[in-house]
Every structure is written in C-alpha cells, then in structure tokens.
Amino acid sequence: MTSVRADASGRFMIGDALPVNRLGYGTMQLTGPGVWGPPADPDGAVRVLRRAAELGVTLFDTADSYGPLVAEPLLRRALAPYGEDIVIATKAGLTRQGPDKWTPVGRPAYLRQQCEMSLRILGVDHIALFQLHRVDPEVPLEDQVGELKALKDEGKIAHIGLSEVSIDQIEQARAIAPIASVQNLYNLANRTAENVLEYCEDHHIAFIPWFPLATGGLVKSGGPFEEVASRLSATPSQLALAWLLHRSPVMLPIPGTSSVEHLEENVAAAGLQLTDEDVAEMTAAVTSPS
C-alpha cells in the first residue's frame, strides 16, 4: 500500500489557479498535547512532513496558532526550499491562552501582523492560501475579509480562505473578495456542514474538511466500517478518507498524524475505489445529522 501516492486522489485547482493533489496533510497533530507546545519528537515530525511530500502530498495545511508558532517552523525546517508543487495553506484569527484554549481575534491590524509573521516564519515571499481561522464576532466581517483583500492586493497572499463559516458569511465575504476555500468540520459521522459543501460545489470553491476521521471515532476497532474494511482489505480510516474523496470533487481532506506509518496508511486511501454500494453501506452505518 505504501506505493500508492497522493496523486491517485486526483487534482483540484484552488481558486482556479493553484493545482493540488486532493489528499493533503494537516499539521495540527505535530504539536504537543492540546495543540500546545512542541512535539515530543521534533525530528520525527520533520520525517513525517518529508515523507508526505515524497508520497505526493502537495497541500499542507497549518496555522500560526498550532503550538502556537510550532507547526509553521516545522514546515520550513522539513520542506524549505519548497518544491514548485508544494502549497502551504496557513491561517490566522485564533489566539491561544493555553492547551485546548482558542479565542478569535479578527482585528485588521492583528490579521496583518500574523500574515507578516507567517511570511517570515515560513520563509516565503507570499502565502499561497491564507485562511481566516475564525470569524471574530466582535469585528465586522467586512473589516476582517477586507484586510485579507488588502494583503492580496499587495501580493502578500495569493488566495483567501475561510474557516467554520455559514453560507451567509461566505456570500458576505465573496461580495468583498474572491474566496478560494472553506474549511469546516465535516466527516461521515458529522455532516452538519452539508449545505456549505453543496454551496462550495456549486461555486467551485475548495472544501477542506477538518477532523476528517472524527479524531479516530470512526476508525476505532469494532467501528461502523469494520465489515466493509474487511471486504476491501482496507483499514477503516482509509475507508473514511475514500468516502470523503468520493463524496465531492471539491473535497480536499487533510488528515494529520505524527506517525510515518499512519501517514502512509492515510495516503494509500487515495488508491481506494469505492462502489456506490460501498458508499451506501458506509453511509447507512452511521447516524446522519438531523
């Protein structure tokens, strides 16, 4: 299975201009517990990132708040100078007060500061995809997206993305600037963002599901996919990723892991071809949201 590359997942053009292999990699799990502090094995984290690139992963999703200031430096250490096909997507708009603590801050001056910091830390002259990590309810959305548009106009970011947003918020943002991606919580067991996904399909916006494996809930021993997995000689986690890839051509899953073995297993999901019957059986095995 380790011979399967991320290329097998197909390609998508973010913003109709930025080609990526659809199966990407998320860096959140390369930090310490609670997404706080450095990993126990920084060298191991670098090996995971380099192996992902070797396996054809071209989309690496990160954020200034992962650590904070842990995931972005690891990406630079592992992958710089970046290959022409590597796309680093980072985020700003969440501040950290400790393990598992997150507070939105969307003041324009703060978003600009964090963009400048990410440029310096990643060692790039522009950020391919810069995402508003959360909408700050205390700041008008037009001010938050407006600052990202200003950064785009200045050439500091190429494409703008949003995270955890509604259709109304996407439309408000699109009235200000082109929106290339949306990153919402979505997996087979939690499809509350289905309407947002459908909107992204209709408008050819990349949909990046975070927690694509429901943090292991879908893939535990004895879980809902075990029977299908046995029949297809695949792991439940591979099936969960294959289901996402099958669900929509705009879907860009970014499973994260701190293990090379698990990384190779996840990437191998790109080579799974599910039938409509497989998909129906998997969908029926979990409870759909109301």
Side-chain angles (χ1 to χ4, degrees):
M1 294 295 282
T2 58
S3 62
V4 177
R5 292 173 48 85
D7 313 56
S9 63
R11 300 275 273 178
F12 183 82
M13 294 284 284
I14 296 176
D16 294 324
L18 197 63
V20 294
N21 289 331
R22 290 178 58 211
L23 186 61
Y25 176 84
T27 63
M28 192 171 72
Q29 293 190 36
L30 295 183
T31 64
V35 200
W36 186 258
D41 181 9
D43 291 340
V46 168
R47 285 193 294 271
V48 169
L49 290 166
R50 289 176 176 166
R51 182 59 176 150
E54 289 172 357
L55 290 171
V57 171
T58 57
L59 175 61
F60 290 83
D61 181 83
T62 190
D64 61 359
S65 56
Y66 293 169
L69 300 176
V70 170
E72 287 183 337
L74 283 170
L75 272 167
R76 181 173 184 174
R77 178 184 164 193
L79 300 181
Y82 306 101
E84 291 184 1
D85 60 337
I86 297 296
V87 171
I88 305 294
T90 194
K91 297 182 285 293
L94 281 179
T95 61
R96 303 300 306 282
Q97 294 73 45
D100 292 318
K101 295 179 180 178
W102 312 75
T103 301
V105 174
R107 296 190 305 273
Y110 178 75
L111 295 177
R112 176 171 289 271
Q113 169 187 289
Q114 296 310 104
C115 177
E116 295 285 3
M117 292 288 288
S118 289
L119 285 167
R120 190 171 74 192
I121 291 167
L122 290 167
V124 295
D125 59 10
H126 73 280
I127 294 169
L129 177 61
F130 193 75
Q131 304 159 93
L132 181 61
H133 208 160
R134 287 295 184 277
V135 174
D136 184 346
E138 304 299 321
V139 178
L141 181 60
E142 56 265 30
D143 291 350
Q144 299 173 68
V145 177
E147 190 65 22
L148 300 190
K149 181 181 185 298
L151 290 163
K152 184 177 188 295
D153 291 343
E154 294 166 23
K156 293 180 178 180
I157 63 180
H159 300 278
I160 298 170
L162 305 172
S163 181
E164 278 308 300
V165 287
S166 66
I167 291 175
D168 285 345
Q169 288 172 321
I170 299 170
E171 292 187 329
Q172 290 177 49
R174 292 182 71 213
I176 301 163
I179 299 301
S181 69
V182 169
Q183 185 168 159
N184 277 23
L185 172 63
Y186 186 89
N187 54 60
L188 180 51
N190 186 336
R191 304 194 295 280
T192 54
E194 192 77 35
N195 63 332
V196 175
L197 170 59
E198 291 171 355
Y199 180 92
C200 289
E201 288 178 321
D202 291 342
H203 296 87
H204 201 63
I205 296 171
F207 185 90
I208 305 173
W210 60 274
F211 281 179
L213 299 178
T215 320
L218 289 175
V219 298
K220 62 186 178 181
S221 178
F225 299 162
E226 199 163 57
E227 183 177 340
V228 182
S230 176
R231 185 172 73 247
L232 297 180
S233 300
T235 66
S237 63
Q238 288 171 338
L239 288 180
L241 292 171
W243 184 92
L244 287 169
L245 291 168
H246 185 278
R247 168 61 187 83
S248 171
V250 306
M251 188 86 73
L252 308 181
I254 48 167
T257 178
S258 59
S259 159
V260 169
E261 179 183 0
H262 291 159
L263 166 72
E264 292 175 344
E265 177 182 307
N266 288 340
V267 171
L272 277 181
Q273 298 296 323
L274 300 180
T275 66
D276 291 342
E277 290 75 15
D278 295 330
V279 170
E281 184 174 348
M282 292 170 62
T283 305
V286 296
T287 303
S288 299
S290 59

